[in-house]
């Protein structure tokens, strides 16, 4: 066993040297755990921010001017004052997400106690902004009208009072959530790509046949690729957590980083083994890419990182409990967001370890059969 581990160590060093000379993969790794995470956390914000809005003021009154002046950053851009014929062309061109049409005699009808209507045209192709922005607009307009009529903002007295307490993300900042989820997705994606590509590269360059005539077995060859590629991604995860998520994005880490890194190591054992499995089935790089689409997308979309698993069909929930990413997402959210300890996340660690061992065994069996068929 000592000799086999020593062989795996030396072959792993060879894999690291091969990766060092592959500049494309190095650039991809560096970008995925730095700029990729930063852009995913900041550029895809789900909050209402700088939404383009236009106003058709057919009343020209003091009240309509107050309403127009109530829309400002950071939620909305400065409103464009337009004429009625410009509404449809502007929405068709995507110039505005919201267009308010204030009718004639609006102020007079409000002061007379009537209930005039303001038409709000919404470009629903921008789903997240359309959903959130409609509520913002309603609250702004009602507040301005109430203050104009009664010279103060009034609040409806309800028989009860709700006191919401927002935990773990009090400002509802999407970057806090998006950065960690992007990190988790990159762990899965990069570990599968690196190990699968390493195996395909050996086959395409003919070096796999050279290894077969050396005094090394399938275990040494496979384990070398697993530990080498897992180490690269594991180090990248630690650096990204410290410099990108904790540094550039200033996301507070509530829990134990060593505990999360231990979970990431088990996850990497599972995903690198999966990469070997896919690489064994694939004959070349294009096949590897196509097979990864079939595997990676379900792992990322159905693991509970983007939408809660409870909202998915029961059959999907049952199937995804056998995926390592499902338990890794649960562990990462519990540790990094809620500050959970080992007493809380040990079921996830145990499930990930069992899945990793199963994937490693299945990949080793498949890889050994592949070597025998080539021999």
């Amino acid at each position: 066993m000592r000799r086999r581990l020593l062989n795996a160590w030396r072959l792993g060093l060879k894999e690291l040297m091969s990766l060092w000379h592959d500049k494309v993969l190095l650039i991809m790794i560096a970008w995925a755990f730095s700029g990729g995470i930063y852009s995913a956390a900041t550029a895809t914000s789900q909050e209402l921010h700088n939404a383009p809005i236009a106003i058709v003021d057919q009343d020209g009154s003091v009240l309509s001017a107050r309403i127009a002046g109530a829309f400002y950053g950071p939620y909305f851009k400065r409103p464009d004052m337009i004429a009625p014929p410009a509404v449809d062309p502007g929405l068709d061109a995507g110039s505005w997400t919201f267009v308010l049409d204030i009718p004639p005699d609006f102020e007079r009808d409000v002061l007379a106690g009537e209930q005039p209507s303001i038409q709000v045209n919404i470009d629903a192709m921008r789903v997240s902004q359309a959903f959130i922005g409609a509520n913002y607009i309603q609250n702004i307009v009602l507040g301005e009208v109430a203050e104009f009529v009664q010279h103060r903002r009034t609040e409806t007295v309800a028989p009860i009072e709700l006191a919401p307490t927002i935990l773990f993300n009090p400002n509802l900042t999407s970057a806090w959530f998006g950065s960690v989820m992007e990190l988790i997705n990159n762990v899965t994606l990069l570990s599968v790509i690196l190990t699968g590509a390493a195996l395909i590269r050996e086959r395409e360059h003919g070096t796999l046949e050279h290894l077969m005539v050396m005094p090394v077995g399938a275990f040494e060859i496979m384990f070398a690729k697993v530990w080498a590629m897992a180490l690269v991604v594991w180090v990248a995860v630690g650096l990204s957590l410290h410099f990108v998520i904790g540094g550039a994005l200033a996301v507070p880490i509530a829990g134990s980083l060593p505990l999360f890194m231990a979970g990431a190591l088990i996850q990497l054992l599972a995903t690198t083994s999966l990469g070997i499995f896919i690489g064994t089935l694939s004959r070349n790089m294009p096949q590897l890419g196509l097979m990864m689409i079939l595997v990676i997308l379900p792992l990322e979309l159905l693991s509970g990182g983007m939408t809660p698993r409870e909202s998915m069909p029961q059959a999907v929930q049952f199937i995804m409990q056998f995926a390592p990413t499902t338990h890794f997402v649960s562990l990462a959210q519990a540790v990094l967001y809620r500050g959970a300890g080992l007493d809380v996340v040990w079921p996830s660690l145990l499930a990930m370890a069992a899945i990793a061992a199963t994937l490693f065994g299945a990949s080793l069996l498949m890889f050994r059969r592949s070597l025998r068929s080539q021999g």
Side-chain angles (χ1 to χ4, degrees), residues 44-82:
T44 58
S45 174
Q46 297 299 315
E47 293 96 5
L48 189 68
H49 183 71
N50 283 338
I53 185 173
I55 296 178
V56 179
D57 187 0
Q58 301 187 66
D59 190 26
S61 62
V62 175
L63 178 56
S64 62
R66 285 177 62 103
I67 293 175
F71 294 93
Y72 47 82
Y75 302 119
F76 296 93
K77 290 184 176 180
R78 185 174 180 178
D80 295 328
M81 307 305 294
I82 62 174

Side-chain angles (χ1 to χ4, degrees), residues 67-113:
I67 293 175
F71 294 93
Y72 47 82
Y75 302 119
F76 296 93
K77 290 184 176 180
R78 185 174 180 178
D80 295 328
M81 307 305 294
I82 62 174
V87 174
D88 290 341
L91 289 173
D92 293 340
S95 302
W96 308 292
T97 304
F98 307 97
V99 177
L100 273 69
D101 190 347
I102 303 177
D105 301 325
F106 176 72
E107 179 182 306
R108 186 192 66 183
D109 293 340
V110 168
L111 294 176

Side-chain angles (χ1 to χ4, degrees), residues 60 135 231 241 250 296 298 343 358:
N135 293 327
L231 177 64
L241 271 175
I296 296 298
D343 57 324
T358 303

Side-chain angles (χ1 to χ4, degrees), residues 100-172:
L100 273 69
D101 190 347
I102 303 177
D105 301 325
F106 176 72
E107 179 182 306
R108 186 192 66 183
D109 293 340
V110 168
L111 294 176
E114 300 180 9
Q115 294 183 333
S117 299
I118 294 181
Q119 183 179 12
V120 182
N121 303 282
I122 302 175
D123 181 0
M125 292 182 63
R126 304 172 182 181
V127 178
S128 60
Q129 285 197 345
F131 180 77
I132 300 172
N135 293 327
Y136 274 72
I137 292 173
Q138 182 179 12
N139 292 333
I140 290 173
V141 172
L142 290 178
E144 292 299 325
V145 170
E147 185 177 18
F148 178 78
V149 173
Q150 303 181 12
H151 302 289
R152 61 184 177 88
R153 295 192 182 274
T154 59
E155 298 181 358
T156 303
V157 179
I160 62 171
E161 179 181 357
L162 294 178
T165 301
I166 302 175
L167 302 177
F168 314 124
N169 189 357
N171 295 326
L172 299 179

Side-chain angles (χ1 to χ4, degrees), residues 269-334:
L269 175 61
T271 51
T272 49
S273 299
L274 181 61
I276 294 293
F277 190 90
I278 297 175
T280 303
L281 295 177
S282 306
R283 311 315 301 175
N284 48 52
M285 286 294 185
Q287 286 188 11
L288 177 68
L290 291 175
M291 292 192 66
M292 283 191 58
I293 294 175
L294 299 177
V295 175
I296 296 298
L297 286 181
L299 287 180
E300 294 185 352
L301 296 176
L302 305 178
S303 61
M306 298 182 180
T307 56
R309 292 183 62 239
E310 292 77 10
S311 63
M312 301 178 188
Q314 291 294 327
V316 175
Q317 295 184 41
F318 175 77
I319 294 172
M320 290 305 297
Q321 69 179 336
F322 300 105
T325 51
T326 299
H327 305 283
F328 185 49
V329 167
S330 176
L331 178 142
Q333 291 179 346

